[in-house]
Amino acid sequence: QVQLVESGGGLVQAGDSLRLSCVASGRTFYAMGWFRQAPGKEREFVSTITWSGGNTYYADSVKGRFTISRDNAKNTVYLQMNSLKPEDTAVYYCAASRTLSPILSKSGYGYWGQGTQVTVSS
């Protein structure tokens, strides 16, 4: 059974940091990514990473503040979020694919976690 389980969300103040984790089980996944969805908005791309970790991509809104990484031995992908802003408030979703290439579109992912809430107060 394929599962993606996110953790690490919470309520923080502007300027604080959080690290999200996503543990994958059931299959080997290559491209993995993070998306987020704020109330009343579409789910949007945040970051993606390839199997080797050699290729990473970020949305302009998080570039320089967020860092994606992975530990393949632990089947885990991370999202380190620094200098958080109120506009980062959203449910953050982990996504996984069997594709080798990085994927920036949510339609490219076949597997999704249940999401973890991140709330940043001003």
Side-chain angles (χ1 to χ4, degrees):
Q1 181 181 359
V2 174
Q3 270 194 316
L4 300 176
V5 180
E6 302 102 330
S7 62
L11 172 62
V12 296
Q13 294 187 330
D16 286 350
S17 298
L18 279 175
R19 188 175 82 155
L20 305 183
S21 300
C22 172
V23 180
S25 61
R27 304 197 74 167
T28 298
F29 294 106
Y30 300 113
M32 295 192 73
W34 288 96
F35 288 74
R36 66 186 183 186
Q37 188 167 16
K41 294 189 176 181
E42 295 284 322
R43 190 171 299 188
E44 64 175 7
F45 168 76
V46 175
S47 183
T48 185
I49 187 169
T50 53
W51 169 258
S52 67
N55 289 293
T56 58
Y57 297 85
Y58 298 92
D60 288 342
S61 58
V62 307
K63 205 171 292 183
R65 300 187 298 122
F66 290 12
T67 303
I68 191 170
S69 61
R70 66 191 296 165
D71 183 340
N72 292 334
K74 296 182 179 179
N75 295 320
T76 302
V77 63
Y78 305 96
L79 186 68
Q80 177 67 43
M81 307 186 295
N82 298 329
S83 303
L84 282 161
K85 304 175 180 179
E87 51 264 43
D88 294 319
T89 295
V91 177
Y92 283 71
Y93 296 90
C94 174
S97 171
R98 300 272 291 168
T99 302
L100 290 173
S101 301
I103 304 172
L104 281 68
S105 170
K106 56 181 180 287
S107 63
Y109 291 93
Y111 303 91
W112 293 85
Q114 82 290 349
T116 185
Q117 177 70 46
V118 171
T119 303
V120 185
S121 64
S122 57

